[in-house]
Amino acid sequence: MSKDSNRLEVLREAAIDLRYLLNRGYRKESALKLVADKYQLNKSERLILYRSVYSNSEAESIKRKMLTPNMIRDKDVWIDGFNVLNTIEAAMRRELLILCDDGVIRDFSQVYGSYKISQFTISSISMILEELKNLKASNVRVLYDSQLSKSGIIAGKTREIMGSLGLRGNAEAVKRVDSTLSKIDAVVCTSDSVILLACKQFFDLAGYIAINKIGRTDIVTL
């Protein structure tokens, strides 16, 4: 979806209705269909609404776990590799970013089942690792979903950059990234709401980089 002001206003109206239904206990899927049909939202707009809008209780549950940058020092940090990488690349391409109800900044690039190495890939990986070094993380683990194409190559590039920076940690392609990050006793970096609802603590690394390093001042709220 483009950042067309008229469509954004329609989405904001739809978001009000969806929040109301979620706070009244409606299931998200059925509430979304009701609202999206009312406002005649297309597939991309439905995805935006689904990933951006939460009930008050869910949003607060996630917000309570969110760490600030100064809280990363001396902590182990585990990263949902493709999730964070996609958001940073979207930020660099000047694509739509939304500050969602749970306080997390998300992109809507819809990269599923594959990953294409682009002109932004290496610089995005470098930005991630340099920022964690600057924030004094004690050890960094980057997990890439092994079911996605190029996961092994990207993990190898990540290890190379990690070594060149003198950053302690590892990067690997693994199965079940979501379940691993949901259970780990470390700081998690992802925008995946399923992981965020299950994990103990997290840092919105991609959102932090988008604002503070890429300089995105056009982040949208619904």
Side-chain angles (χ1 to χ4, degrees), residues 148-204:
L148 297 188
S149 62
K150 308 295 192 297
S151 56
I153 294 170
I154 298 298
K157 292 288 186 185
T158 303
R159 289 192 297 271
E160 286 176 20
I161 297 169
M162 199 176 282
S164 70
L165 291 171
L167 186 64
R168 289 182 58 209
N170 192 23
E172 56 191 315
V174 300
K175 294 180 179 178
R176 306 290 297 171
V177 172
D178 52 351
S179 61
T180 301
L181 294 179
S182 295
K183 300 170 185 174
I184 196 68
D185 188 18
V187 178
V188 171
C189 296
T190 187
S191 65
D192 186 326
S193 61
V194 173
I195 298 173
L196 295 180
L197 285 165
C199 73
K200 296 180 181 178
Q201 55 186 350
F202 79 97
F203 174 53
D204 184 12

Side-chain angles (χ1 to χ4, degrees), residues 10-204:
V10 170
L11 274 175
R12 288 185 175 116
E13 287 296 317
I16 292 170
D17 288 4
L18 181 56
R19 276 188 209 102
Y20 175 80
L21 293 176
L22 294 177
N23 286 326
R24 298 284 293 177
Y26 281 73
R27 288 180 64 251
K28 194 165 193 175
E29 288 76 10
S30 53
L32 176 66
K33 185 177 188 312
L34 183 66
V35 171
D37 288 350
K38 173 186 174 184
Y39 289 94
Q40 298 182 317
L41 303 184
N42 62 34
K43 185 177 179 181
S44 295
E45 291 166 340
R46 289 169 191 247
L47 175 68
I48 288 170
L49 211 60
Y50 184 84
R51 295 187 65 214
S52 300
V53 178
Y54 296 83
S55 67
N56 292 345
S57 60
E58 271 198 337
E60 288 305 313
S61 175
I62 291 173
K63 284 179 179 178
R64 282 195 296 268
K65 304 176 185 181
M66 184 184 286
L67 303 184
T68 56
N70 63 306
M71 300 170 75
I72 302 305
R73 187 184 185 98
D74 298 328
K75 285 189 166 63
D76 289 346
V77 177
W78 289 52
I79 300 172
D80 185 351
F82 283 125
N83 178 281
V84 174
L85 192 56
N86 282 329
T87 302
I88 292 172
E89 290 196 36
M92 294 179 77
R93 290 192 300 264
R94 314 307 297 182
E95 293 178 4
L96 177 69
L97 297 179
I98 293 182
L99 175 60
C100 302
D101 287 354
D102 57 358
V104 176
I105 292 171
R106 291 183 174 89
D107 74 288
F108 298 87
S109 53
Q110 303 183 49
V111 178
Y112 300 119
S114 64
Y115 180 82
K116 293 183 179 179
I117 297 174
S118 75
Q119 59 179 315
F120 300 115
T121 300
I122 300 303
S123 56
S124 297
I125 295 171
S126 296
M127 215 177 288
I128 292 168
L129 299 175
E130 286 167 2
E131 212 43 53
L132 288 172
K133 185 175 181 179
N134 291 339
L135 293 171
K136 312 291 188 190
S138 66
N139 193 283
V140 175
R141 293 284 297 277
V142 187
L143 305 184
Y144 294 102
D145 189 337
S146 61
Q147 297 178 73
L148 297 188
S149 62
K150 308 295 192 297
S151 56
I153 294 170
I154 298 298
K157 292 288 186 185
T158 303
R159 289 192 297 271
E160 286 176 20
I161 297 169
M162 199 176 282
S164 70
L165 291 171
L167 186 64
R168 289 182 58 209
N170 192 23
E172 56 191 315
V174 300
K175 294 180 179 178
R176 306 290 297 171
V177 172
D178 52 351
S179 61
T180 301
L181 294 179
S182 295
K183 300 170 185 174
I184 196 68
D185 188 18
V187 178
V188 171
C189 296
T190 187
S191 65
D192 186 326
S193 61
V194 173
I195 298 173
L196 295 180
L197 285 165
C199 73
K200 296 180 181 178
Q201 55 186 350
F202 79 97
F203 174 53
D204 184 12

